[in-house]
Amino acid sequence: MNMLVDYDSDNDGLSDSEEISLGTSPLNWDTDGDLIGDYYEVTSGSVNVDYNPGSVSKMIYITTFTPAGTTYGILTVTAGIEVSIPENIHGEWWPDTVTLSLYVAGRDYGVIASVPFNPGHSYSATGSRTIYGFWDGGESYSAVLISNIPPILGISIKISLYTISIYDPYVTDPTNPDTDNDGLTDLQDMKIGCDPTDPDTDNDGISDGYEFRGIYKWVVYNPDHSVKAFGTYITEEDVPPQYRDSYELLGPFYTSPTNPNSDNEDGNDYENFNPCGNDLDGDGIPDGEDECPTLSDGDNDYLEDGKEEAYGCVVGDDDTDDDGLKDGEEVYGLLGYVTDPTKMYTDKDAWDDGDEILDYHTDPTAKDTDGDGYISIYEAYEYAVREDSKPEYPQIWSYYAILKKITFL
């Protein structure tokens, strides 16, 4: 009598005949080399977990859990906190919120629930955390829940562990390390919360791999550096043909592959000019209102666009008052004098600020630079006459024609 024995040569949980039918190697437990065993790629479902739910009236809750079987899957821990704070609890050292943090196998997974720290009130909150990983059947793992304040001075704290579960929702291709061809291996996808069978987990039009590694935006500017057109750049084919000789790239922007609107502003990551915020150049003007959203100083006048309005200046005009000085040079006194960027003649002496600083080296904030009682423009005229240098001071002579008609304030 002949007996057919079906071996599992690589001890991966699949028989050799099953592996041959699946197209995997019966001699390699991880045919595609993505660090997920062949058996775990072709199976899915829940794994029983042995744990003890309960509550403690302490600052810390410590327990363990044991998976009944081995799997790559999502661990979900659900827990809660109840806090009651007496009215007489005061002091700057107390936090604004009472938090409940989770540690699994010694690793910090952050705050899963929080309530206000409000003397004279009681609060409760429940939260959960999902963790993707490899869970070894029969192995015990620690789970620790910690509050950020202790139950002292009449403060009541109750920490409760409700549920611990493990579930593997995905069946992946054991012959392809990147089942959905999104640029991330199946294991990478699952570790960052993405679906390894969907190349665009959050359905924002950008594949998970590009979002994880950073996306770019193509942009075309008008002559004044305002934005003419833009879009998301994956390859040059994403740029309209008429702009392919003139576009620039912005980025990378590291967006969330599990949130279609990473900055929670209008539009999704694909549509947004700046998918990671609303003020790309940091000038205080939201991108949607900024004529030059990629430049904090769009008109290159040394004054940030977000401050132009406060000083009465015009965004896009580097010299609002047309006195020959840039707005920022006047506001910040970059040439030695702080002058009014909206007035051509800060000291009202009929010489514009630019002439005084750049040509005649007089004080644009004072009519009488040397304090001798004579207005600087008149003194310069007298000097020109005495030195017979009329041709060197053409502006002085043009001003002299109206000098006696001007009343200086």
Side-chain angles (χ1 to χ4, degrees), residues 331-394:
V331 169
Y332 298 124
L334 300 180
L335 299 179
Y337 299 96
V338 175
T339 51
D340 189 335
T342 65
K343 294 180 180 178
M344 184 179 289
Y345 314 104
T346 296
D347 58 8
K348 303 177 183 178
D349 67 355
W351 264 349
D352 64 50
D353 298 338
D355 284 341
E356 294 217 48
I357 293 176
L358 302 174
D359 294 336
Y360 308 128
H361 309 294
T362 54
D363 185 347
T365 66
K367 300 186 188 86
D368 180 12
T369 297
D370 57 11
D372 63 359
Y374 293 94
I375 297 172
S376 298
I377 186 173
Y378 189 78
E379 288 193 274
Y381 158 71
E382 293 289 349
Y383 175 80
V385 172
R386 287 196 303 271
E387 297 297 319
D388 194 23
S389 54
K390 180 176 177 179
E392 296 180 17
Y393 291 88

Side-chain angles (χ1 to χ4, degrees), residues 88-104:
N88 62 347
I89 297 294
H90 298 287
E92 295 181 356
W93 53 85
W94 293 106
D96 294 329
T97 58
V98 182
T99 60
L100 181 65
S101 297
L102 172 67
Y103 293 78
V104 173

Side-chain angles (χ1 to χ4, degrees), residues 176-211:
N176 182 359
D178 180 9
T179 298
D180 56 9
N181 297 310
D182 65 354
L184 298 172
T185 68
D186 297 339
L187 185 59
Q188 289 173 328
D189 263 323
M190 289 186 277
K191 280 190 172 182
I192 62 175
C194 292
D195 182 344
T197 66
D198 184 346
D200 181 13
T201 298
D202 57 10
N203 295 313
D204 63 357
I206 309 172
S207 74
D208 299 337
Y210 282 111
E211 294 207 68

Side-chain angles (χ1 to χ4, degrees), residues 348 403-409:
K348 303 177 183 178
L403 264 178
K404 293 183 180 180
K405 298 180 182 180
I406 296 176
T407 301
F408 297 102
L409 302 179

